[in-house]
Amino acid sequence: MTRAIETLVWAGVFVLITIVLVFAGIRVGTDGPLIVTGTPSERDAFEWRYVTYPWLAYLHIVPGILYLVGAPLQLWRRFRERHFTFHRRFGRVVLSLGLVSGVFALAFGVPFAYGGAWQSLATAVFGSWFLVSLMLAYRAIRGRRVRMHRRWMMRAFAVGLGVGMIRVWVGILAGSQLLPLEQSFAPAFWVGLSMHVLAGEAWLWWRPNADGLPRNAKADQPSK
Ligand code: HEM
């Protein structure tokens, strides 16, 4: 049963990462030619913000994609245990990519939200939670608090993966014509990201000891 649930969760992770990759591909395909040729986009087009502020947008998207693709390797327990030196080195890279993407999620997403003020607020709340989780994960591992490190890394990853869930909700809300595309963004951000924060907490509650430490090791105790 445990194995079946884990397999299902990993399948979900794969699907959500694929969704994010597809949307990133669409972005590059749409914005790339305009940015490279210096062609301005129409003011009310979706891509206007991406084409007008490419540095802000792509310093969010490119490190975010690399973070999202790299993080599962870091969280995969068997790989981590077999390649611990790689885990430590690659971890610094993945964490830095996550931080850069998170900072630019705020710099781009708060002032230039397609869906208006409620989307900006969701970006500020969940983007800050993403950054705080990464920073606390780093602080924990510097203090050799392995269990705490894993918990904060899981929380950050849950939010990062939530980016795929936002697109699912935009698809549901706008695709079923419940809301126009622009108005579907804010609820999709709130519902999609809240779901992922809660799912992350549920996972940590269900698998509190999946970090390879002895079952009775305390979360705030430095590992030996
Ligand atoms: C860490 C992994 C992340 C990846 C791979 C990622 C990827 C992307 C991509 C591909 C887009 C373009 C979306 C599109 O064209 O449909 C985008 C936009 C955006 N992202 Fe992220 N993102 C990540 C994390 C975050 C986080 C943590 C937040 C904050 C909650 C965030 C907030 C935003 C916002 C506000 C936009 C602009 C949406 C709009 O067009 O109005 N992202 N991201």
Side-chain angles (χ1 to χ4, degrees):
M1 182 66 177
T2 302
R3 178 60 67 91
I5 295 175
E6 281 188 356
T7 307
L8 210 65
V9 170
W10 276 107
V13 167
F14 179 79
V15 169
L16 288 168
I17 292 179
T18 306
I19 291 174
V20 180
L21 288 175
V22 167
F23 278 93
I26 294 172
R27 278 270 53 78
V28 173
T30 313
D31 311 338
L34 298 174
I35 295 169
V36 170
T37 57
T39 313
S41 130
E42 288 185 22
R43 185 73 166 84
D44 53 357
F46 182 82
E47 62 269 20
W48 180 80
R49 298 152 303 131
Y50 294 88
V51 175
T52 313
Y53 305 101
W55 285 103
L56 292 184
Y58 283 90
L59 277 168
H60 167 59
I61 294 175
V62 175
I65 293 291
L66 296 174
Y67 163 83
L68 210 58
V69 171
L73 206 57
Q74 295 295 98
L75 296 173
W76 181 15
R77 182 176 161 189
R78 206 177 315 160
F79 187 87
R80 195 168 64 221
E81 285 173 355
R82 286 191 188 160
H83 307 281
F84 186 62
T85 309
F86 176 84
H87 174 81
R88 290 182 65 178
R89 289 187 185 144
F90 191 53
R92 291 195 185 100
V93 176
V94 172
L95 189 121
S96 308
L97 290 165
L99 287 172
V100 173
S101 177
V103 167
F104 282 94
L106 298 181
F108 178 71
V110 173
F112 305 117
Y114 184 63
W118 283 103
Q119 184 191 320
S120 295
L121 188 62
T123 302
V125 169
F126 292 101
S128 305
W129 179 241
F130 177 70
L131 284 171
V132 165
S133 300
L134 286 175
M135 288 188 282
L136 290 179
Y138 180 70
R139 200 174 75 158
I141 204 58
R142 294 301 295 168
R144 293 173 175 271
R145 296 187 302 274
V146 175
R147 183 155 292 170
M148 232 5 149
H149 170 66
R150 168 183 171 264
R151 294 180 75 80
W152 285 113
M153 278 302 190
M154 284 284 188
R155 288 182 172 120
F157 184 63
V159 176
L161 206 55
V163 168
M165 188 55 80
I166 295 172
R167 268 72 203 170
V168 172
W169 277 101
V170 168
I172 293 171
L173 296 172
S176 63
Q177 300 192 333
L178 218 64
L179 290 173
L181 182 67
E182 198 169 339
Q183 287 175 29
S184 71
F185 266 66
F189 263 73
W190 282 101
V191 177
L193 293 174
S194 302
M195 272 175 66
H196 272 248
V197 169
L198 292 177
E201 293 308 314
W203 178 268
L204 292 174
W205 172 80
W206 183 58
R207 309 283 284 144
N209 303 315
D211 43 26
L213 292 178
R215 222 156 232 285
N216 58 359
K218 288 212 177 93
D220 52 358
Q221 230 172 36
S223 72
K224 303 241 163 63

